[in-house]
Amino acid sequence: MKVTEAKFVQDFIDLADEGYRMGWHERNGGNLSYRMKDHEVESVRSRFRFYGEWHPIGTSVPGLAGEFFLVTGTGQYFRNIRKDPESAIGIIEIDETGENYKIRWGFIENGFPTSELPTHLMNHEVKKRVSGGKHRIIYHAHTTNVIALSFVLPLKDEIFTRELWEMATECPVVFPEGVGVVDWMVPGGRAIGVETSKLMEQYNAVIWAMHGIFCSGETFDLTFGLMHTIEKAAEILVKVMSMSHHKTQTITPQNFRDLAEGFHITLDERFLFEKPDKSIPGTKE
Ligand code: 13P
Ligand code: ZN
């Protein structure tokens, strides 16, 4: 089978297109990776290149030894992925030490995987372990409203989670575990990957202050849906904040407890703290 005809490749490209249309991928902003299933590797193996060198990943992910990933290329524009997938995306194999990768398909024209490969792979390693192998997708997007909030809200998991939850009743149902927040750091290396993957132990979404978000999920739909839900909640909060520094009414901690019961979800009490007043954190003069 041609690699570009495989369903997982089509789904990957669809997500990239959709994310571009949402306005989350200016220029080469954002990146995407998918941990392939064994039968998917076999279905396209005849198209693999068997030459090429091993390249250092820049970190160590022994939990991913021998795995294959479809990933976006560094410097590649999401808007071009459908037009020219063989340049913009590629399949890499991880060696048995978990420290090197080899390009097996794609990245023609001397391309390489995303500069955020260390973060993607460290997140995959954590998620593969904690989800019992179910999570396969890591998606990084430059979501406008989440980025805007990171200039104003205090950079705390509890505050971002609570404020986003309050913006739409279904938010705690979509991300009951909350969201993590990483303070500003230099992107593109191991250090930010270490901080992000620590938070991925408990969250499926981690915000990078003044930069964007990383989401993890089992399927392309669930991962995109998580990104979309968080960014929409952030957009509502930005609109609320543009009208007022405080909420006249909101969803209360007891409302959340009732919701948890009705939807059979667990919401950590850490996010259901009492607030001193109705002002939005970070907005008081
Ligand atoms: P890449 O082009 O290397 O994927 O980088 C884009 C990006 O969003 C960095 O955080
Ligand atoms: Zn980025």
Side-chain angles (χ1 to χ4, degrees):
M1 190 197 302
K2 274 177 90 176
V3 175
T4 48
E5 285 169 1
K7 182 166 187 312
F8 72 95
V9 181
Q10 289 293 318
D11 289 347
F12 186 101
I13 295 172
D14 286 348
L15 185 150
D17 259 2
E18 197 67 36
Y20 174 69
R21 278 197 293 270
M22 299 301 289
W24 304 336
H25 300 288
E26 76 292 342
R27 204 173 181 279
N28 65 311
N31 22 75
L32 176 64
S33 62
Y34 171 71
R35 186 168 58 83
M36 292 166 63
K37 297 177 181 165
D38 290 347
H39 74 88
E40 291 166 336
V41 175
E42 293 320 314
S43 72
V44 296
R45 193 186 278 279
S46 62
R47 303 280 172 160
F48 284 176
R49 299 201 275 273
F50 285 92
Y51 52 90
E53 311 141 43
W54 291 100
H55 301 278
I57 294 168
T59 190
S60 182
V61 284
L64 300 177
E67 296 267 12
F68 288 79
F69 291 86
L70 180 61
V71 294
T72 52
T74 187
Q76 298 290 342
Y77 292 25
F78 268 45
R79 68 185 289 267
N80 292 337
I81 293 179
R82 189 178 300 285
K83 278 185 271 183
D84 193 3
E86 282 193 66
S87 293
I89 62 179
I91 292 175
I92 58 168
E93 178 181 357
I94 309 300
D95 74 358
E96 65 283 3
T97 65
E99 296 196 351
N100 302 286
Y101 73 86
K102 190 180 270 197
I103 297 170
R104 290 302 191 189
W105 175 85
F107 297 136
I108 60 173
E109 317 228 12
N110 283 328
F112 283 96
T114 172
S115 60
E116 304 295 0
L117 192 64
T119 296
H120 277 259
L121 294 182
M122 280 188 270
N123 287 345
H124 275 293
E125 189 180 42
V126 167
K127 285 307 197 182
K128 183 184 170 189
R129 173 168 47 76
V130 300
S131 74
K134 287 185 178 159
H135 277 225
R136 295 193 170 270
I137 294 148
I138 299 291
Y139 178 30
H140 169 52
H142 292 178
T143 41
T144 316
N145 293 284
V146 166
I147 297 170
L149 288 179
S150 73
F151 288 85
V152 180
L153 291 186
L155 298 174
K156 298 263 179 289
D157 302 1
E158 291 80 1
I159 291 178
F160 266 80
T161 299
R162 175 65 176 278
E163 293 305 317
L164 292 171
W165 278 2
E166 284 184 34
M167 291 304 109
T169 297
E170 303 248 318
C171 279
V173 181
V174 177
F175 51 102
E177 60 293 316
V179 296
V181 184
V182 172
D183 205 339
W184 188 89
M185 286 182 79
V186 177
R190 184 175 181 277
I192 196 165
V194 169
E195 293 311 311
T196 310
S197 60
K198 267 190 223 159
L199 292 170
M200 282 287 180
E201 297 272 347
Q202 52 177 315
Y203 302 117
N204 292 327
V206 175
I207 292 168
W208 280 6
M210 296 105 205
H211 187 142
I213 325 187
F214 272 80
C215 285
S216 173
E218 293 182 25
T219 65
F220 289 101
D221 274 349
L222 285 168
T223 314
F224 187 86
L226 176 61
M227 186 73 79
H228 195 182
T229 305
I230 292 171
E231 173 59 4
K232 177 158 180 178
E235 182 180 350
I236 299 169
L237 184 52
V238 168
K239 287 182 197 294
V240 171
M241 290 163 96
S242 72
M243 291 185 279
S244 173
H245 291 306
H246 75 275
K247 299 164 194 158
T248 310
Q249 55 273 326
T250 189
I251 306 172
T252 67
Q254 190 52 47
N255 291 154
F256 285 122
R257 292 185 191 103
D258 294 344
L259 186 78
E261 213 182 305
F263 278 78
H264 309 292
I265 51 171
T266 306
L267 299 179
D268 195 327
E269 282 290 322
R270 186 160 67 95
F271 302 123
L272 302 181
F273 49 89
E274 289 303 326
K275 294 183 182 178
D277 54 42
K278 287 181 173 159
S279 66
I280 297 167
T283 60
K284 256 185 165 172
E285 280 94 70

